[in-house]
């Protein structure tokens, strides 16, 4: 197969293509189980295989994909023909940033392949969790397991050949209940990074049991709590919502294709302009954010991106100043040309496709916030006069240029004069992105830092769902509108 | 092709019967074309031809599903897939209720929604359409973006209870054209949903964009004061809100699970404005309907709200099985929602702008990134986008920066509804996350809702 692919790539080069690559997925498997109130509602497995072909011709992309490999030449011709037509409407001919020719292999850390575990064991895990969640106050209990494993072979016309084997494990527990008014409330636990590998070994019964107990307890506190007041307060975001704040208002805002207007017709743009790099005060001096695809054991670490670029650790915001973006080979060239200066030295290695039949686009790797020196969560609370601690993503809505946002959380704890007082229900916070990050007044230390996994980031047309990570500490922001 | 698909399904079904399995076999084939535009260029030109086969095996109260991407030549692999589902189901856990397997009583073939001309548009035709949409509109600062998506969708189903099969074939197209200002960062949009080739009308999109650009290029934008406004929603915004009602409103299973702002006690009560009549109407081809559901229940117009009175929940088979309800023919890929028009004579934005008015009107064509803040209260939030206008009482027009609306659907479609336009339009909300699944709603072109508060006003785009 590899030889055939190489022959086809050479053939298209002969027809005038300036670049050709192929992602061949010999196997992509998924196993998903969902238990809802003791009912195993979904027991699903899937297997896919196929190729995706990308062709650059006269500065324009063409793409085609199929699971039917019986006529590979025809698929390459289709991709070439798609590029030929696209070349009739080119405003900025696509150029690709330089890269090295690479022969490599990558395997994500996995001790026990979840696809070797029997269905009976997986069901038993969910049944045990369901039992633990079946407590007073809980009306709906949901638990799931989601395993993915994909083998990808990447070949391009610049001589690279990369083989990857990636295993993903996602799992969550959720409980909902109704308060005296009949309104629903929820509390969740999403499995994040535990240790150095993510195979079946990360389904650790102790961790899940502890968290099951905690979310049931916290749900019951919410059910009898007062509503979150409408107020301006300091908000302390725990990693369970801090990850999403980072995702939506740093991550998506700094995707270079968005900045350059490539998502304007759908997902949206970004308030960031090319002039802002090196200048814009994105946040307070306490904010250092990075796109770190080298972080061990996270869905945002995948060895090599779908341009064949090795994983990198890129600073996005350095002590509050915007310095970097989430980039791939095409966009850095276009950005530098449009800005008439070299903002980006090379590709940031963040071009990824969700599967063989989708085209790679700029995607987040691990968008992390460095831990700070404002101590533990207790230290931050003790240092807060009038605040609220927020956790658990319940609702998120962001302006089309990521300039403003509205988040709803599962639980809030009011803080008065350095002490936690009451739990409140229906907490929300909102704000303007830049103003909000500039109000960052405390960043928790390593003890507050957690890596959260995201399994459902949507972007692009046709839409692609991507997996990634966020390593974030607890953070405090001042003078934020809550309860709206 | 139809015969080959049905033959394959019958052969697979016969194989499953012979093996003593109880299996539902589901077939999905898509031939998808997408030309994507950005910065006035074709940024992506792609097509995917994919066949998915899904086998759900049952064993008493247990069930398990195996899905594969395959092609019609791989009959042995498909049989293995069925074997795999049958093997999985041994290890599943029994449900607390009896899941119903459909008993199809006759073949059901529906190809009425298929237009070969639309499905088979060429690369050249897609490009020509977009060139026509953007004629005389692009400048150094003003760039064209959008998509031209079209394709064919085939769904088919058979199961071991009988030899009968279902087969649905549709064609669909979704067009989005956006002009965005490179420096000022505003965008205006024009969209089209097509079920057949003759639905495509690039000149209309060109006219709509021309009109919006005139205002956006010439009028200085303003930050709106936080206050209550009389808002006219365009069809995209309305469709998005109706889509959320479909989710946290009248879905029986979600109601039982606590994700609805409606209750069983409210059936027969007036919940929304008397001007609101909402149906699920599979007779309308523009909604890419399924005229029979996957349980073999024939689908007819199904009232949800009549003059504001809530008519009842919809139930898919699995929820009906679990909660002891009657299935309502809603075991489908998607509903065919139709919000009926009202009496206001208005056909276009140009009409709206020209109409005399006593108060300022905020026109919101589109709500971006809507999400549910509180499902029990029907509370949603989203931001305006793509060409809002403040139509002043004195007849002048102001271009506002985007605003955020955080409101209950009960409020938006409640007593504050002033009017609905008499003209309706199909609005395509397909997003094709995994498999192609064209969805469109029929909604009034405009709805006016008085006295709605905005919760945030941008000071830039
Ligand atoms: Zn995302």
């Amino acid at each position: 197969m590899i030889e055939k692919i190489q022959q086809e790539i050479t053939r298209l080069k002969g027809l005038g293509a300036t670049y050709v690559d192929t992602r061949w997925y010999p196997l992509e498997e998924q196993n998903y189980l969902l238990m809802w109130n003791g009912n195993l509602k979904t027991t699903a497995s899937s297997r896919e295989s196929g190729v995706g072909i990308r062709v650059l011709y006269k500065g324009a992309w063409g793409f085609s994909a199929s699971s039917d490999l019986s006529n590979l030449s025809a698929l390459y011709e289709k991709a070439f023909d798609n590029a030929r037509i696209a070349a009739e409407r080119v405003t900025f001919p696509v150029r690709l940033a330089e890269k090295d020719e690479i022969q490599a292999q990558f395997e994500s850390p996995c001790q026990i392949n979840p696809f070797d575990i029997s269905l009976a064991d997986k069901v038993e895990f969910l049944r045990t969790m369901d039992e633990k969640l079946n407590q007073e106050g809980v009306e709906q209990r949901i638990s799931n397991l989601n395993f993915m494993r994909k083998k990808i072979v990447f070949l391009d016309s610049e001589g690279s050949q990369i083989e990857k084997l990636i295993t993903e494990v996602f799992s969550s527990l959720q409980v909902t209940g109704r308060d005296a008014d009949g309104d629903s409330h929820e509390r969740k636990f999403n499995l994040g990074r535990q240790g150095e590998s993510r195979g079946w070994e990360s389904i650790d019964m102790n961790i899940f049991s502890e968290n099951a107990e905690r979310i049931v307890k916290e749900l019951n506190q919410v059910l009898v709590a007062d509503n979150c007041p409408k107020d301006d307060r300091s908000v302390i975001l725990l990693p369970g919502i801090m990850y999403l704040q980072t995702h939506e208002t740093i991550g998506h805002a700094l995707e270079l294709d968005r900045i350059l207007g490539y998502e304007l017709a759908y997902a949206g743009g970004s308030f960031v302009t090319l002039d802002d790099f090196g200048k814009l005060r994105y946040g307070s001096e306490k904010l250092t954010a990075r796109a770190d695809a080298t972080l061990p054991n996270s869905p945002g670490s995948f060895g090599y991106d779908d341009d064949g670029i090795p994983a990198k650790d890129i600073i996005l915001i350095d002590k509050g100043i915007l310095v970097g973006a989430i980039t791939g080979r095409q966009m850095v060239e276009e950005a530098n040309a449009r800005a008439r200066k070299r903002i980006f030295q090379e590709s940031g290695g963040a071009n990824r496709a969700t599967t063989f039949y989708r085209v790679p686009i700029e995607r987040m790797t691990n968008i992390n916030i460095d831990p700070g020196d404002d101590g533990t969560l207790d230290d931050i609370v003790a240092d807060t006069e009038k605040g609220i601690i927020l956790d658990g993503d319940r609702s998120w809505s962001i302006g089309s240029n990521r300039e403003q946002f509205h988040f709803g959380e599962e639980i809030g704890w009011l803080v008065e004069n350095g002490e936690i007082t009451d739990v409140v229900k229906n907490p929300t916070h909102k704000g303007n992105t830049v103003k909000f990050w500039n109000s960052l007044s405390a960043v928790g230390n390593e003890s507050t830092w957690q890596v959260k996994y995201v399994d459902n980031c949507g972007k692009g047309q046709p839409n692609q769902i991507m997996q990634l990570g966020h390593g974030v500490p607890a953070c405090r922001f001042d003078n934020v509108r809550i309860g709206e | 092709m139809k015969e080959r698909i049905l033959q394959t399904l019958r052969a697979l079904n016969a194989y499953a019967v012979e093996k003593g399995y109880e299996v539902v076999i589901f077939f999905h084939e898509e031939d998808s074309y997408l030309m994507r535009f950005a910065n006035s260029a074709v940024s992506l030109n792609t097509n995917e031809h994919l066949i998915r086969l899904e086998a759900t095996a049952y064993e008493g109260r247990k069930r398990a599903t195996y899905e594969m991407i395959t092609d019609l030549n791989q009959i042995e692999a498909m049989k293995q897939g069925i074997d795999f589902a049958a093997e999985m189901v041994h290890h599943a856990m029994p449900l607390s209720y009896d899941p119903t397997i459909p008993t199809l009583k006759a073949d059901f073939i529906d190809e009425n929604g298929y237009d070969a001309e639309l499905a088979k548009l060429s690369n050249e035709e897609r490009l020509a359409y977009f060139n026509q949409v953007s004629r005389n509109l692009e400048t150094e600062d003003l760039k064209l973006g959008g998509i031209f998506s079209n394709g064919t969708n085939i769904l088919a189903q058979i199961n071991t209870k009988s030899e009968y099969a279902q087969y649905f074939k549709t064609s669909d197209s979704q067009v989005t054209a956006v002009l965005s200002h490179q420096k000022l960062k505003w965008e205006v949009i024009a969209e089209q949903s097509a079920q057949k080739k003759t639905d495509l009308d690039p000149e209309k999109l060109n006219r709509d964009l021309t009109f919006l650009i005139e205002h956006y290029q010439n009028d200085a934008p303003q930050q709106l004061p936080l206050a209550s406004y009389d808002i006219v929603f365009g069809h995209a915004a309305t469709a998005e809100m109706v889509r959320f009602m479909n989710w946290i409103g009248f879905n029986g299973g979600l109601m039982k699970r606590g994700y609805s702002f409606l209750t069983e006690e409210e059936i027969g009560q007036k919940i929304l404005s008397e001007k609101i009549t909402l149906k699920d109407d599979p007779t309308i081809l523009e909604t890419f309907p399924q005229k029979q559901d996957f349980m073999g229940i024939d689908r007819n117009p199904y009232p949800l709200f009549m003059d504001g009175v809530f008519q009842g929940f919809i139930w898919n088979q699995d929820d009906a099985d679990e909660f002891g309800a009657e299935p309502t023919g809603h075991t489908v890929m998607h509903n065919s929602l139709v919000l009926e028009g009202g009496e206001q004579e208005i056909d276009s934005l140009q009409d709206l702008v020209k109409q005399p008015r006593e108060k300022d009107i905020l026109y919101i064509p589109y709500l971006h990134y809507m999400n549910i803040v509180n499902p029990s209260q029907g509370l949603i939030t989203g931001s305006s986008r793509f060409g809002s206008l403040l139509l002043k009482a004195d007849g002048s027009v102001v271009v506002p920066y985007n605003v955020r609306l955080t409101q209950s659907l009960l409020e938006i479609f409640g007593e504050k509804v002033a009017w609905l336009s008499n003209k309706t339009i199909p609005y395509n909300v397909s997003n094709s996350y995994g498999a192609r699944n064209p969805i469109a709603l029929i909604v009034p072109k405009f709805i006016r809702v008085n006295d709605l508060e905005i919760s945030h006003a941008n000071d830039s785009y």
Side-chain angles (χ1 to χ4, degrees), chain A residues 25 32 76-77 105 156 174 222 289 313 325-326 376 400 409 415 457 478:
Chain A
Y25 283 55
Y32 179 74
Y76 278 84
E77 273 150 34
Q105 290 189 326
D156 72 11
Q174 180 176 336
V222 168
D313 177 9
I326 296 160
T376 64
S400 57
E409 289 83 14
V415 175
C457 174
D478 291 336

Side-chain angles (χ1 to χ4, degrees), chain A residues 293-455:
Chain A
T294 68
L295 176 75
N297 187 29
S298 172
S301 303
F302 36 82
Y304 301 84
D305 78 352
D306 291 333
D307 283 337
I309 304 285
K312 291 179 184 171
D313 177 9
I314 308 263
I315 303 271
L316 301 173
I317 299 168
D318 188 16
K319 297 190 179 70
I321 302 295
L322 175 69
V323 293
I326 296 160
T327 65
R329 292 182 79 190
Q330 175 187 351
M331 295 301 157
V332 296
E333 282 292 309
E334 182 167 338
N336 289 342
R338 281 213 229 166
R340 295 178 210 278
K341 61 180 174 188
R342 217 166 162 74
I343 303 174
F344 304 101
Q345 298 309 311
E346 56 184 10
S347 162
N351 217 26
R352 283 200 287 164
T354 186
T355 184
F356 70 86
Y357 54 88
R358 294 286 186 256
V359 73
I361 50 177
E362 262 91 353
R363 302 306 303 243
M364 290 178 223
T365 56
N366 300 292
I367 307 304
N368 302 343
I369 306 287
D370 286 359
D373 50 15
D374 293 302
T376 64
L377 178 61
D378 287 346
D379 294 335
I380 294 174
V381 170
D383 180 50
T384 302
E385 202 183 306
K386 186 184 170 204
I388 185 169
I389 304 169
L390 298 172
D391 197 27
D393 55 84
R394 191 177 178 207
S395 154
W396 52 97
S397 175
I398 301 87
S400 57
N401 287 322
R402 303 275 148 174
E403 72 291 351
Q404 47 91 4
F405 58 84
H406 182 285
F407 287 95
E409 289 83 14
E410 294 169 355
I411 187 168
W413 295 266
L414 296 179
V415 175
E416 309 286 348
N417 301 318
E419 284 189 10
I420 295 173
T421 57
D422 298 312
V423 169
V424 291
K425 65 182 179 185
N426 295 323
T428 62
H429 78 284
K430 63 166 208 161
N432 285 310
T433 301
V434 170
K435 195 173 155 217
F436 179 80
W437 285 104
N438 273 285
S439 76
L440 176 65
S441 63
V443 177
N445 64 18
E446 282 283 350
S447 74
T448 72
W449 198 81
Q450 293 178 19
V451 180
K452 296 289 180 187
Y453 291 171
V454 174
D455 65 347

Side-chain angles (χ1 to χ4, degrees), chain B residues 356-373:
Chain B
R357 46 192 169 258
E358 285 155 23
K359 286 177 72 184
D360 293 357
I361 288 175
L362 177 58
Y363 166 66
I364 296 181
Y366 189 102
L367 286 165
H368 174 79
Y369 214 129
M370 196 184 281
N371 210 330
I372 301 157
V373 181

Side-chain angles (χ1 to χ4, degrees), chain A residues 244 247-248 252 255 363-364 402 454 456-459 468, chain B residues 369:
Chain A
L244 194 60
H247 180 95
E248 303 290 4
H252 280 304
E255 291 159 346
R363 302 306 303 243
M364 290 178 223
R402 303 275 148 174
V454 174
N456 61 352
C457 174
K459 184 182 171 186
L468 49 106
Chain B
Y369 214 129

Side-chain angles (χ1 to χ4, degrees), chain A residues 204-334:
Chain A
D204 180 327
M205 195 61 100
N206 291 330
I207 290 168
F208 276 85
S209 297
E210 267 169 38
N211 281 289
E213 212 171 289
R214 177 179 59 83
I215 61 175
V216 168
K217 188 177 123 205
E218 290 177 355
L219 175 69
N220 276 294
Q221 291 171 342
V222 168
L223 293 181
V224 295
D226 285 337
N227 259 314
C228 175
K230 186 169 168 174
D231 204 354
D232 294 321
R233 282 179 176 244
S234 295
V235 298
I236 299 167
L237 302 186
L238 299 187
I241 184 69
M242 183 63 196
Y243 90 94
L244 194 60
Q245 181 80 52
T246 305
H247 180 95
E248 303 290 4
T249 63
I250 290 182
H252 280 304
L254 295 185
E255 291 159 346
L256 191 52
D257 56 345
R258 280 183 83 116
I259 293 170
L260 292 176
Y262 280 90
E263 289 289 331
L264 269 185
Y266 181 64
S270 174
F271 64 90
V272 171
T273 66
L274 292 177
D275 283 346
D276 290 334
F277 288 91
K279 284 185 237 164
L280 177 70
R281 178 153 282 289
Y282 204 109
S284 77
E285 283 192 359
K286 289 179 182 285
L287 176 65
T288 291
R290 60 183 73 229
D292 183 4
T294 68
L295 176 75
N297 187 29
S298 172
S301 303
F302 36 82
Y304 301 84
D305 78 352
D306 291 333
D307 283 337
I309 304 285
K312 291 179 184 171
D313 177 9
I314 308 263
I315 303 271
L316 301 173
I317 299 168
D318 188 16
K319 297 190 179 70
I321 302 295
L322 175 69
V323 293
I326 296 160
T327 65
R329 292 182 79 190
Q330 175 187 351
M331 295 301 157
V332 296
E333 282 292 309
E334 182 167 338

Side-chain angles (χ1 to χ4, degrees), chain B residues 198-448:
Chain B
T198 51
D199 291 340
L200 293 171
D201 181 2
E203 285 304 320
K204 179 175 183 316
L205 268 60
N206 182 272
R207 277 196 306 277
D208 289 354
L209 289 171
T210 305
F211 179 79
L212 281 165
I213 284 169
E214 263 169 36
H215 285 287
Y216 269 74
Q217 267 183 334
N218 299 325
D219 306 339
Q222 285 183 16
Q223 180 180 17
L224 292 184
L226 288 181
S228 289
Y229 290 84
D230 290 358
I231 298 179
V232 171
F233 293 105
H235 52 269
T238 303
E240 187 69 350
M241 293 188 289
V242 172
R243 204 169 66 86
F244 271 69
M245 264 208 272
N246 182 46
W247 184 7
I248 56 165
F250 42 80
N251 181 308
L254 288 176
M255 175 272 295
K256 284 287 186 187
R257 295 182 176 95
Y259 292 100
S260 171
F261 58 86
L262 293 167
T263 64
E264 284 165 290
E265 293 74 51
E266 286 171 321
I267 297 172
Q269 287 184 28
K270 188 164 167 296
I271 303 296
L272 303 178
S273 157
E274 62 196 16
K275 299 184 177 74
I276 299 293
T277 290
L278 179 67
K279 290 177 188 162
D280 172 37
D281 190 349
T283 65
I284 296 180
L285 275 186
E286 285 80 3
T287 64
F288 312 111
Q290 234 178 289
K291 289 179 185 144
Q292 190 178 72
D293 83 347
F294 292 127
M295 303 309 294
I297 301 175
D298 287 330
R299 282 167 45 74
N300 295 304
Y302 187 91
L304 296 160
F305 288 94
M306 298 294 284
D307 305 325
V309 176
F310 180 41
Q311 303 294 304
F313 291 93
I314 59 173
W315 292 94
N316 66 40
Q317 186 69 49
D318 189 50
D319 286 337
D321 287 341
E322 181 173 354
F323 297 106
E326 268 304 303
T328 51
H330 287 92
T331 311
V332 286
M333 292 289 279
H334 59 86
N335 297 324
S336 292
L337 295 176
V338 177
L339 180 60
E340 288 190 356
E343 288 173 354
Q344 190 76 9
E345 300 256 348
I346 183 165
D347 190 28
S348 67
L349 181 57
Q350 290 86 328
D351 290 352
L352 178 72
V353 172
K354 261 187 277 169
Q355 271 183 356
R357 46 192 169 258
E358 285 155 23
K359 286 177 72 184
D360 293 357
I361 288 175
L362 177 58
Y363 166 66
I364 296 181
Y366 189 102
L367 286 165
H368 174 79
Y369 214 129
M370 196 184 281
N371 210 330
I372 301 157
V373 181
N374 185 330
S376 310
Q377 295 167 6
L379 193 63
I380 50 146
T381 188
S383 301
S384 67
R385 191 181 172 190
F386 289 132
S388 296
L389 296 171
L390 183 68
L391 311 176
K392 304 284 286 179
D394 64 11
S396 65
V397 176
V398 168
V399 174
Y401 291 124
N402 288 327
V403 298
R404 176 175 289 285
L405 203 67
T406 306
Q407 286 283 348
S408 170
L409 290 164
L410 289 164
E411 192 87 348
I412 295 169
F413 291 108
E415 291 313 311
K416 293 180 172 180
V417 174
W419 52 251
L420 293 82
S421 67
N422 56 348
K423 295 276 170 46
T424 59
I425 187 169
Y427 185 73
N428 197 313
V429 293
S430 314
N431 59 24
S432 299
Y433 267 83
R436 189 174 196 88
N437 176 25
I439 309 173
L441 290 75
I442 309 287
V443 289
K445 287 186 170 178
F446 302 94
I447 294 185
R448 177 168 171 171

